[in-house]
């Protein structure tokens, strides 16, 4: 049985290179700037540009949500915002949830920050919340993200054909999932 109180706690999770902290008003400027980045928008399939006020409301309201966990990714020791992630669509009856992550700029990719953030969140999801499965959607052209997810135990479970129309081209999305046991094998625990 999962522990929904773990979603209300809004934890801080610390790894070697990143710290995950509750997404809050202090992150608005960075969150907003990331939402304007064309390449980040393409990788996440986000057509609409959000306004600053909408970004401010989003960040300010995350701590009020008891049904999901939204965390900012902070590189440490320098303390720089490098993205955000969320555990959402929690299904207590089936012990599952969906996951998403977005680094705030391409300059942060390829450094292992997203991998470490994903591992920290999955560890919390399986050990503290007691989920059995976490799943996500990723566009098939995002090979770097797919490799990171695989290294964290995710496996491709399905394909949504032509799920994204971007600049006149259609792209498939992959459904990937990780079970607690698969994560433990990749994490060595």
């Amino acid at each position: 049985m999962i522990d929904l109180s773990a979603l209300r706690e809004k934890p801080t999770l610390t790894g070697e290179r990143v710290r995950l902290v509750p997404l809050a008003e202090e992150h608005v400027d960075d969150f907003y700037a990331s939402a304007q980045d064309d390449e980040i928008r393409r990788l996440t399939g986000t057509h609409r540009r959000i306004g600053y006020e909408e970004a401010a409301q989003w960040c300010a309201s995350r701590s009020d949500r008891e049904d999901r966990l939204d965390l900012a990714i902070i590189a440490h020791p320098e303390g720089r915002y490098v993205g955000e992630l969320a555990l959402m669509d929690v299904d207590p009856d089936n012990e599952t949830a969906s996951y998403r992550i977005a680094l705030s700029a391409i300059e942060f990719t390829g450094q292992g920050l997203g991998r470490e953030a994903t591992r920290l969140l999955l560890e919390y999801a399986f050990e503290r919340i007691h989920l059995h499965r976490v799943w996500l959607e990723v566009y098939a052209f995002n090979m770097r993200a797919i490799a990171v997810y695989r290294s964290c135990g995710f496996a491709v479970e399905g394909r949504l054909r032509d799920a994204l129309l971007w600049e006149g081209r259609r792209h498939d999305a992959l459904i990937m999932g990780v079970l607690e046991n698969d994560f433990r094998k990749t994490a060595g625990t």
Side-chain angles (χ1 to χ4, degrees):
M1 181 143 134
I2 71 171
D3 184 354
L4 292 174
S5 72
L7 294 173
R8 293 187 291 273
E9 288 175 6
K10 309 303 181 210
T12 293
L13 308 174
T14 304
E16 290 180 25
R17 300 184 59 220
V18 299
R19 211 167 29 94
L20 307 181
V21 300
L23 187 65
E25 292 176 76
E26 69 194 71
H27 304 115
V28 172
D29 291 342
D30 293 316
F31 179 84
Y32 172 74
S34 145
Q36 306 311 305
D37 184 285
D38 288 335
E39 184 60 8
I40 299 302
R41 289 179 49 251
R42 181 182 78 87
L43 292 172
T44 59
T46 306
H47 290 283
R48 188 175 70 81
R49 290 186 191 271
I50 63 170
Y52 188 85
E53 285 303 314
E54 185 178 358
Q57 289 173 349
W58 177 262
C59 290
S61 67
R62 298 302 85 199
S63 64
D64 297 335
R65 296 293 301 263
E66 296 185 359
D67 61 335
R68 59 184 285 151
L69 187 57
D70 293 273
L71 302 173
I73 306 167
I74 308 298
H76 74 84
E78 63 271 18
R80 186 173 181 189
Y81 176 96
V82 297
E84 48 91 24
L85 53 74
L87 191 66
M88 57 203 179
D89 303 320
V90 176
D91 180 346
D93 295 325
N94 293 305
E95 300 174 339
T96 66
S98 67
Y99 172 66
R100 73 168 177 73
I101 182 172
L103 295 181
S104 61
I106 293 303
E107 71 181 275
F108 301 126
T109 63
Q111 299 177 32
L113 302 174
R115 177 179 285 113
E116 185 174 333
T118 297
R119 286 187 178 279
L120 286 169
L121 193 277
L122 289 175
E123 187 175 314
Y124 189 80
F126 293 129
E127 289 185 10
R128 178 65 183 87
I129 302 173
H130 305 293
L131 292 173
H132 173 70
R133 177 176 175 267
V134 175
W135 65 275
L136 59 85
E137 284 185 32
V138 59
Y139 294 110
F141 59 76
N142 195 345
M143 299 307 291
R144 188 179 301 219
I146 292 167
V148 168
Y149 299 142
R150 285 185 192 279
S151 75
C152 293
F154 284 89
V156 174
E157 298 178 339
R159 178 178 294 267
L160 301 173
R161 296 180 307 148
D162 290 349
L164 173 68
L165 176 61
W166 195 266
E167 295 180 349
R169 294 188 60 211
R170 298 193 184 276
H171 304 276
D172 293 355
L174 302 178
I175 304 296
M176 298 183 77
V178 59
L179 304 179
E180 179 182 6
N181 289 340
D182 297 332
F183 173 70
R184 300 243 180 266
K185 288 176 194 170
T186 64
T189 59

